[in-house]
Amino acid sequence: MHGLTESVIAAACSRVGQSVLHLDRRNYYAGNWASFTFNGLLSWIEQYKNQQEVQITELEQVWRSLIDEGEDAVPLSALDSSISNLEVFCYASEEEEKEEEMKTPLSSFQPVNAETVSEEANGDSTEAHDTVTGDDTTASDAKTPNEEHEVSEPKEDQHTSDISEPSQSQEEKESQLSSSPADPPVEVQKKITYQKLVKEGRRFNIDLVSKLMYSRGALVDLLIKSNVSRYAEFKNIGRILTYRNGKVEQVPCSRADVFASKQLTVVEKRMLMKFLTFCLDFEQHPEEYQDYTEKPFREFLKNKKLTENLQHFILHSIAMVTQHTLTEEGLKATQHFLRCLGRYGNTPFLFPLYGLGEIPQCFCRMCAVFGGIYCLRHSVECLVVDKVSNKVKAVIDTRGQRISCSHFVVEDSYIRDEQRQSTAYRQISRAVLITDRSVLPSESDQQISMVTIPPLESSAPAVRMVELCSSSMTCMPGTYLVHLTCSSSGKAQEDLAPVISQLFHVSTIPGEEPSEGAEERSKPAVLWVMYFNMRDTSALDSSSYSLPSNVHVCTGPDDSLCSDYSIKLAESVFHHILPDEEFCPPAPNPEDIIYDGDGPQAEGPGFDESTNTEADKSLAEEEGATHEKSP
């Protein structure tokens, strides 16, 4: 029953020798953290609509017969109500696609070897520097031939993950690597139609959740510590933008940005550098802020005599806090932002290639490598609870099988209202757009941008926007994938449509061009948009549910920019289950593993008994070779 939290718990338990069975009623991995191809997303939308129409009937007569004397049954919900108010609008022309091909440099469709990609990606694509170097390969039971594509950088090896059904297969990822990051396509002159989006649908990887990774955040630290980072690749967020006075501007956040900025005067540059230097070790100077500990951060910025320009940049784009955030919290947020600068690039953020849905899959892979079992399209009907101990002793699945267990970790959407102490939830408003160009064109059209949008009205929420380019492997060349997220004050469309109309051209007729000379012509055009609300249960804890003590409920994604909450929750649940075990200890490097048995074990594609000419050598010689490789 997987989101990110459940996948991390499963990997951590499997890693220390526990038996893990991971069931999911969906036909794809990662739950509400999933990534979909465009065609897969259209199917997911249809499933959502059909789910709302289908009358859910309980098959109590099936599992009631499996409940023994002295046991109680706790039924689980069969309907996922975590997504609501889903609406889709298509603004791309629906006319038939013409036969003319997109203009692209010939070299972009040439085969690309690992070294070529390495040279092109060196400045943009980064894997955690603390991961294992050398020839990383997974153990033979973790992959099959052609299952992984290895892209070498000068210092590290990188691997892509191919677990997800709704996102791309590995072969498709390899072909996309060949055509996308090395030589970006030249500007597309012809109109992008809906038919083109569907035809190129497998080039998209569209996340249900939009988050970035702080380079010194809990998720990156865990990926490095556990060696799970070997299963994924990452790209730097190239720039941080903000919407101010009706236009999009770049935010100077690093030292180089500040001194290169044309938006700031010389005096403002000095003021900003002085303030950011103070924030790096503000705890050492309590006299500077102690009078404002109970006052908003905004008032502290005003007291520091910072200009309106600087206050806007710091409040909305560096600290990324609200007008009401207290001073100490604002200083900590600014400090965290600054400490993450420079670790992997000029901004504090990383993004996983092929979408955020890759991260839960990486932990699923680690779980499987250490013996975890996964079953999709397979769910749990009810829990079997021992009346004396009030603990779950077994579950009954949708096929009428009774499966014993000592702990049960479950996603919040499986819990029925009668097992909840409260049914009041916060909501997240989400919009996903496909557009034809960037909100702030620059010399390079292959940049990921994070855009902060302050509230347009006093009652409106602040909006966070992430604009993804085709080299992030999330959209087809010639388009951008744009994610908008905010705390809900109403339906997603009501919250986000006003923001979209400010930054983008939304045609009234599909395929309609803005009139010549109009202001709208300078804005990117929206080709397709999806709005939905997602339930945010991050404020709930174990006291929010009436469930046995060995049932551990994991809340869904929260509305923050990073995934730290989910990682900390996973660690907390793990230590509740296994208080004496280490959380996600490093997985051994494949070359360090010494196998038991009569002969050498397969270590990867093309290395098995039928082709291994050294198969008759003694096991001792094999083990000796393994030890020689060990650091």
Side-chain angles (χ1 to χ4, degrees), residues 38 42 45 49 85-92 94 194 197 431-434 492-494 497 500 506-507 510 526-532:
F38 186 64
L42 296 178
I45 291 167
K49 290 177 179 176
N85 305 319
L86 193 152
E87 299 175 84
V88 177
F89 301 92
C90 179
Y91 300 104
E94 300 201 12
Y194 180 72
L197 295 179
V432 180
L433 288 68
I434 300 174
Q493 187 187 6
E494 296 168 355
I500 291 171
V506 182
S507 60
V526 176
L527 305 173
W528 185 89
V529 61
M530 173 178 72
Y531 298 98
F532 63 93

Side-chain angles (χ1 to χ4, degrees), residues 188-232:
V188 180
Q189 299 297 326
K190 71 171 187 173
K191 188 186 298 183
I192 298 173
T193 64
Y194 180 72
Q195 292 297 323
K196 181 72 172 175
L197 295 179
V198 173
K199 181 180 176 183
E200 300 287 337
R202 291 191 175 275
R203 288 178 175 265
F204 289 87
N205 282 295
I206 302 171
D207 293 320
L208 294 183
V209 173
S210 175
K211 289 182 181 290
L212 300 177
M213 299 163 61
Y214 275 103
S215 65
R216 296 189 189 275
L219 178 54
V220 169
D221 289 346
L222 181 62
L223 288 168
I224 294 169
K225 174 194 173 187
S226 63
N227 275 349
V228 171
S229 56
R230 74 179 73 181
Y231 298 134

Side-chain angles (χ1 to χ4, degrees), residues 4 85 204 220 276 289 293 347 362 365 431 477 479 492 503 529 545 595 609:
L4 176 61
N85 305 319
F204 289 87
V220 169
L276 296 181
Y289 64 90
T293 50
T347 73
C362 290
R365 173 170 287 181
T479 65
L503 278 82
V529 61
Y545 307 95
Y595 297 97
E609 283 193 20

Side-chain angles (χ1 to χ4, degrees), residues 211-275:
K211 289 182 181 290
L212 300 177
M213 299 163 61
Y214 275 103
S215 65
R216 296 189 189 275
L219 178 54
V220 169
D221 289 346
L222 181 62
L223 288 168
I224 294 169
K225 174 194 173 187
S226 63
N227 275 349
V228 171
S229 56
R230 74 179 73 181
Y231 298 134
E233 299 175 74
F234 305 92
K235 185 175 172 68
N236 291 309
I237 278 55
R239 56 189 184 168
I240 296 174
L241 310 176
T242 188
Y243 183 72
R244 183 164 177 263
N245 298 330
K247 62 181 181 178
V248 177
E249 301 176 355
Q250 184 158 353
V251 176
C253 48
S254 68
R255 182 182 294 271
D257 285 345
V258 170
F259 288 114
S261 174
K262 296 179 181 177
Q263 303 150 264
L264 304 178
T265 65
V266 174
V267 173
E268 283 180 317
K269 290 178 182 181
R270 287 175 181 160
M271 292 172 73
L272 181 58
M273 285 305 302
K274 182 179 178 182
F275 181 77

Side-chain angles (χ1 to χ4, degrees), residues 25 54 68 86 134 190 197 249 284 313 320 486 576:
R25 61 189 169 199
V54 172
D68 298 331
L86 193 152
K190 71 171 187 173
L197 295 179
E249 301 176 355
Q284 308 301 317
F313 289 152
M320 285 180 277
C486 71
H576 194 271

Side-chain angles (χ1 to χ4, degrees), residues 126-131 214-222 224-225 236 337-350:
T126 298
E127 182 166 345
H129 287 0
D130 297 1
T131 58
Y214 275 103
S215 65
R216 296 189 189 275
L219 178 54
V220 169
D221 289 346
L222 181 62
I224 294 169
K225 174 194 173 187
N236 291 309
F337 181 99
L338 296 172
R339 286 180 173 173
C340 292
L341 283 172
R343 188 178 192 187
Y344 301 120
N346 212 30
T347 73
F349 304 113
L350 296 173

